[in-house]
Amino acid sequence: MKKFKAVLTLIIVLLVVGLVGYITFVDTIKTSGGTVSSDAVSGNDAAKPGEKTPLASGIKKGLDLAGGVSITYQVIGEGTPSREDMSDTIYKLQQRVENYSTEAQVYQEGEDRINIEIPGVSDANTILEELGNPGTLYFIAQTDSNGADNYSYGIDADGNVGYVLAEGKTIDSLKADGSIVIEGSQIKGATATTQTSGTGVKEKEFVVSLTFTDEGAKSFAVATEKAFSNGQSIGIYYDGKFISVPTVQAVISDGSAVITGMESFDAASKLASTIRIGGLNVELQELRSNVVGAQLGSTAIETSIKAAIIGFIIIAIFMIAVYWLPGVASVLALAIYVILDILLILGFRITLTLPGIAGIILSVGMAVDANVIIFARIREEISAGKTVKAAMKSGYETALSAIIDGNVTTVLAAVVLMIKGSGTVKGFAQTLFLGIVISVITALFVTRAIMDAFYELGLRDEKFYGRAKDVKSIDFVGKRHIFFAISIAAILSGFVFMGVNQSKIGNPLNYSLEFLGGTSTNVTFNENMSIEDLETKVIPEIEKITGDGNIQQAKVADSNEVIFKTRTLTVPEREAFDTMLEEKFSVTEDQIQTETISSTISNEMKTDSVVAVIIAVILMLIYIYFRFKDIRFGVSSVLCLVHDVLVVLAFYALAKISVGNTFIACMLTIVGYSINATIVIFDRIRENLRGKKSELTEIVNKSVTQTLTRSIFTSLTTFIMVACIYYFGVTSVREFALPLMVGIICGAYSSVCVAGALWYVLKTKIKNSTATGGKRK
């Protein structure tokens, strides 16, 4: 019976890997030129009748992979809007359009225009209809100063039944009469939430929570006093329609209110989002809208898939060569991990960009980690004299705490970033969270099921599993002064390089247009240029002029127009740009339009990201203290994390790598990678402290040495995947992969050479530890 189950398990695993893997990858490669063509303008990638539809092609793609909609709004009104009003408007619009995609971008163009780019959609009219006219929100009293109704229940201009303005009433007349009690600019915030019902039955109800500015709070207090005394409502009017008409149930004077009666959380969320976009400080009017094609051609996607396949094959060979039979099990589980990751990205409708693909490829390398920890434990148990069956059982049990602790800390960071982050940060956190959860499940359950099947089929000889070798402890603690000196020198060099850059280029780092803004150049070519033509003929010429490796381009559908975005160009660079287009592509001056654009990463988004990281670090410290009962483990982990980030920052400054959206993703990856590796070592120190009578120095050295192969092998497999991304990837992906390789090396160094020694210093300098075991030195 056990053999039958074992055979059945292996058949199911092989079928899943073979069939779903074929649908996901092989068909994708075969049709990559069709489903994600270089001239694609739609993110739907719908297959034509009779064509195969690869599973992976159903994933929502970002602007760089599938194109989308680009909308430009013009501020209405006299005079130039203030910088504060424009910044606030951009931030609120960013929150609104993230309902369509976490990769949507909002940025300023010129002094009074705002651009919105939403990937994965191809109907600009639908987006415009749903967005309406931002900044046209009003709270209207039910009756005017004479007691006449301002609105009533009836049929609107579209034939829909609902509340409409009374005959003869207009927004201008309501303003003149004083019936407009609140305008959108007086609303500070609107959020969908839940509260306990006040009906006597303690049930949750969905509501919209509103907050007002100081001026708005005063006006709303007066309006609610009048409405409450007369049993009236206050209508919320947006873009020519009433979106809610709540009855006033109390005088509200504290600057906050709640709209009840929502039938679902989605309905509350939609109303809150509409109020936010209507509550802008400026009123916007559509200037133009375009459907733009993919920023990257099919070559970029194909090379990324090629990097994934080659990297996977190298890791598979490595795992089998090092761990033998368990290595085979891990490779099969790893294949299932990749498939599950893609299926869940598809199921949760996560928008995927090329850096996102790079992140998935990276996660394959990191997913090996749990298996490496388990296999090392199994070999240790076999060396201790246990049978293979007992060693497998004990290996999984002893490895569990290290796997759980290492991954929970990273999950905490991902969850906080999903809640507090925005844009690229949120999208990155979603894929990170999925990757961690799936990797743990596949390591603990899928790999184990496959190994149990192998065992039941007769593969029970310990030679198939390996035996840990006795290794003399390395004196990491004794060499701590050397390691600390190297780390301090590397960090200080970063500040030196940033100072040099500040004096030479005016900024400590080579900030890209996402951080500093830049120049948008619209060029109408005389012929239709494919993405491949742009990548091979035009972009290299622009790079020669600007020295910028982070140039973005987007084709406008049904035209020869192409939008190029670069860092801010100087007058000589603009002239050289125009000359190049004229000489090489016969483009005349009237076919070129140039505008200054703002950064796509607003100050609010930067603040949100920093706050999210701080909260994540605090939660990590709390969790580590709860698990290890010694705050010094947490402090040491965070210091190593800061060490890795600062060293990679130093590399950015030295190599002058462009700092853009991928910079945030790179740093967040290093944070998660660093904390995971350090926790695994600390978990072994905690284990060796229990009941041991050795000197503290010996315990630390022994713990680091015991986990050394894990640290090296995990870093190596991750490095292999990133190196493949770098070797085969396009420029934007290479600028993500190169510092990430530095971060992997740095993370391995800090975990092995710095973390344990740093904890030892804190342990011996700060007494009264609550940790158990261990003889103090």
Side-chain angles (χ1 to χ4, degrees):
M1 187 65 182
K2 288 184 178 180
K3 282 190 176 182
F4 175 76
K5 288 183 178 180
V7 172
L8 185 62
T9 298
L10 291 179
I11 289 174
I12 292 173
V13 168
L14 292 173
L15 282 175
V16 170
V17 172
L19 294 177
V20 183
Y22 178 84
I23 295 171
T24 305
F25 296 109
V26 178
D27 275 7
T28 300
I29 295 172
K30 285 182 178 180
T31 57
S32 61
T35 56
V36 193
S37 68
S38 58
D39 297 319
V41 295
S42 171
N44 299 324
D45 292 336
K48 295 178 182 179
E51 289 184 344
K52 292 182 179 180
T53 306
L55 184 62
S57 69
I59 295 175
K60 290 176 65 178
K61 304 176 185 70
L63 278 168
D64 55 353
L65 298 182
V69 166
S70 174
I71 301 171
T72 302
Y73 283 109
Q74 174 86 47
V75 175
I76 301 175
E78 299 180 358
T80 303
S82 68
R83 180 181 298 180
E84 290 76 17
D85 284 345
M86 291 295 283
S87 176
D88 180 68
T89 301
I90 289 170
Y91 181 60
K92 288 181 179 177
L93 280 173
Q94 179 73 48
Q95 291 180 309
R96 167 66 164 163
V97 298
E98 281 179 8
N99 290 334
Y100 299 101
S101 169
T102 57
E103 302 297 330
Q105 294 183 344
V106 182
Y107 57 91
Q108 184 174 339
E109 178 183 293
E111 293 183 338
D112 58 356
R113 275 169 282 178
I114 293 176
N115 272 358
I116 298 175
E117 293 177 349
I118 306 174
V121 294
S122 57
D123 190 345
N125 290 330
T126 299
I127 299 297
L128 287 167
E129 183 178 340
E130 291 181 5
L131 285 177
N133 288 325
T136 57
L137 180 80
Y138 306 98
F139 281 44
I140 302 174
Q142 183 174 332
T143 57
D144 59 20
S145 55
N146 297 319
D149 286 338
N150 287 319
Y151 53 82
S152 60
Y153 208 70
I155 300 176
D156 62 20
D158 297 329
N160 299 317
V161 177
Y163 284 95
V164 295
L165 289 177
E167 186 175 354
K169 299 282 186 175
T170 65
I171 292 298
D172 288 338
S173 68
L174 292 172
K175 285 182 179 180
D177 179 69
S179 292
I180 301 290
V181 298
I182 290 285
E183 294 195 26
S185 60
Q186 295 173 305
I187 298 171
K188 186 184 294 184
T191 308
T193 185
T194 59
Q195 69 176 20
T196 303
S197 173
T199 59
V201 180
K202 291 187 176 180
E203 294 181 353
K204 293 289 184 181
E205 62 175 344
F206 306 107
V207 301
V208 175
S209 177
L210 301 177
T211 55
F212 302 92
T213 63
D214 292 341
E215 179 187 0
K218 294 176 182 177
S219 300
F220 198 64
V222 174
T224 53
E225 184 177 4
K226 173 192 170 185
F228 179 66
S229 62
N230 295 311
Q232 295 179 346
S233 60
I234 293 180
I236 304 175
Y237 192 76
Y238 169 68
D239 196 28
K241 297 178 181 179
F242 283 94
I243 58 174
S244 181
V245 184
T247 301
V248 177
Q249 298 176 339
V251 178
I252 301 171
S253 58
D254 61 353
S256 62
V258 173
I259 301 174
T260 60
M262 301 289 103
E263 63 269 22
S264 66
F265 186 80
D266 286 342
S269 181
K270 184 176 180 180
L271 177 60
S273 182
T274 302
I275 291 174
R276 283 198 302 270
I277 195 174
L280 301 177
N281 292 340
V282 297
E283 186 173 346
L284 304 175
Q285 185 178 55
E286 179 207 350
L287 185 64
R288 60 177 178 267
S289 61
N290 295 313
V291 177
V292 296
Q295 295 173 353
L296 298 170
S298 58
T299 303
I301 303 171
E302 289 168 3
T303 55
S304 295
I305 295 174
K306 186 176 181 180
I309 294 172
I310 292 175
F312 188 93
I313 291 172
I314 294 173
I315 288 178
I317 294 172
F318 174 82
M319 291 297 292
I320 295 171
V322 173
Y323 291 107
W324 309 333
L325 194 62
V328 175
S330 72
V331 170
L332 292 173
L334 198 59
I336 293 176
Y337 160 79
V338 175
I339 293 166
L340 287 175
D341 202 11
I342 292 175
L343 287 173
L344 288 177
I345 288 173
L346 180 65
F348 286 108
R349 306 295 293 159
I350 295 174
T351 302
L352 196 62
T353 62
L354 199 56
I357 292 176
I360 292 175
I361 297 172
L362 167 68
S363 69
V364 173
M366 296 180 68
V368 175
D369 181 45
N371 285 317
V372 171
I373 295 172
I374 293 167
F375 298 161
R377 285 289 194 170
I378 291 175
R379 287 186 169 183
E380 288 178 13
E381 298 297 336
I382 291 175
S383 296
K386 291 186 179 180
T387 63
V388 170
K389 186 70 174 177
M392 287 169 56
K393 183 177 182 297
S394 180
Y396 271 90
E397 290 174 352
T398 53
L400 185 62
S401 63
I403 294 171
I404 296 298
D405 289 338
N407 285 285
V408 165
T409 49
T410 313
V411 164
L412 286 173
V415 170
V416 173
L417 292 170
M418 279 194 290
I419 296 172
K420 290 293 293 179
S422 56
T424 303
V425 175
K426 184 174 290 186
F428 173 84
Q430 290 171 339
T431 54
L432 177 65
F433 178 83
L434 281 179
I436 295 167
V437 173
I438 300 169
S439 67
V440 172
I441 291 173
T442 52
L444 294 179
F445 299 102
V446 179
T447 307
R448 186 168 189 176
I450 297 171
M451 288 182 64
D452 287 341
F454 285 152
Y455 183 84
E456 294 301 332
L457 289 174
L459 299 173
R460 303 179 178 184
D461 196 310
E462 70 175 47
K463 68 182 180 183
F464 295 122
Y465 300 88
R467 176 186 289 266
K469 297 178 181 179
D470 290 330
V471 180
K472 183 180 179 181
S473 294
I474 302 171
D475 188 13
F476 290 101
V477 174
K479 297 180 176 63
R480 64 185 182 277
H481 300 296
I482 298 174
F483 297 140
F484 292 169
I486 293 173
S487 297
I488 292 171
I491 293 171
L492 290 178
S493 68
F495 292 105
V496 172
F497 292 133
M498 284 188 275
V500 172
N501 291 341
Q502 182 70 46
S503 63
K504 287 186 176 181
I505 62 176
N507 287 297
L509 298 171
N510 180 24
Y511 294 113
S512 69
L513 62 92
E514 287 98 346
F515 275 84
L516 292 180
T519 300
S520 175
T521 306
N522 287 40
V523 181
T524 303
F525 289 92
N526 297 315
E527 58 181 341
N528 185 27
M529 302 284 286
S530 68
I531 295 295
E532 281 69 27
D533 289 336
L534 294 172
E535 289 177 346
T536 58
K537 297 177 183 179
V538 184
I539 298 299
E541 296 295 330
I542 300 175
E543 288 178 349
K544 290 178 185 177
I545 296 170
T546 63
D548 183 9
N550 190 34
I551 295 168
Q552 300 176 9
Q553 81 277 352
K555 292 188 60 182
V556 177
D558 301 322
S559 74
N560 294 341
E561 184 180 355
V562 181
I563 304 169
F564 297 99
K565 296 176 190 174
T566 64
R567 62 164 177 76
T568 303
L569 300 179
T570 63
V571 174
E573 286 173 338
R574 288 194 184 190
E575 293 174 351
F577 197 157
D578 293 350
T579 302
M580 179 273 292
L581 291 172
E582 182 180 356
E583 293 178 352
K584 294 186 178 294
F585 303 98
S586 302
V587 175
T588 59
E589 186 177 343
D590 63 323
Q591 293 174 281
I592 305 171
Q593 293 181 336
T594 304
E595 288 288 351
T596 299
I597 57 176
S598 72
S599 62
T600 56
I601 301 176
S602 65
N603 290 330
E604 290 84 357
M605 290 172 66
K606 294 176 189 175
T607 302
D608 287 346
S609 298
V610 171
V611 170
V613 171
I614 291 172
I615 294 173
V617 169
I618 292 172
L619 290 178
M620 286 179 188
L621 281 169
I622 294 172
Y623 177 80
I624 293 170
Y625 177 75
F626 174 76
R627 288 287 290 160
F628 289 82
K629 298 297 185 288
D630 187 345
I631 193 63
R632 282 163 292 205
F633 280 116
V635 173
S636 301
S637 300
V638 172
L639 288 176
C640 284
L641 184 153
V642 173
H643 164 277
D644 295 342
V645 169
L646 290 178
V647 171
V648 174
L649 198 64
F651 180 75
Y652 267 98
L654 171 63
K656 294 184 176 61
I657 295 175
S658 180
V659 175
N661 279 331
T662 56
F663 169 80
I664 296 175
C666 177
M667 287 301 183
L668 293 174
T669 302
I670 291 166
V671 165
Y673 184 84
S674 172
I675 197 75
N676 188 298
T678 303
I679 291 299
V680 171
I681 292 175
F682 284 167
D683 185 84
R684 184 60 70 98
I685 292 175
R686 176 182 59 179
E687 179 183 327
N688 289 334
L689 279 171
R690 297 190 185 114
K692 305 294 183 180
K693 302 301 181 182
S694 305
E695 295 288 346
L696 195 59
T697 304
E698 182 183 340
I699 290 176
V700 174
N701 288 334
K702 180 182 178 181
S703 300
V704 177
T705 303
Q706 286 175 328
T707 55
L708 186 59
T709 54
R710 173 266 163 201
S711 299
I712 294 174
F713 289 165
T714 301
S715 299
L716 184 59
T717 54
T718 310
F719 188 88
I720 287 170
M721 294 302 295
V722 181
C724 289
I725 299 171
Y726 179 80
Y727 184 80
F728 293 105
V730 294
T731 302
S732 60
V733 175
R734 286 182 176 179
E735 292 199 337
F736 171 77
L738 185 58
L740 204 51
M741 287 191 285
V742 175
I744 292 168
I745 295 171
C746 180
Y749 167 80
S750 68
S751 298
V752 172
C753 301
V754 178
L758 187 58
W759 176 82
Y760 170 82
V761 171
L762 294 177
K763 178 80 170 178
T764 54
K765 299 297 182 184
I766 304 175
K767 304 297 181 181
N768 300 321
S769 171
T770 57
T772 60
K775 180 180 178 181
R776 292 183 177 86
K777 182 180 178 181

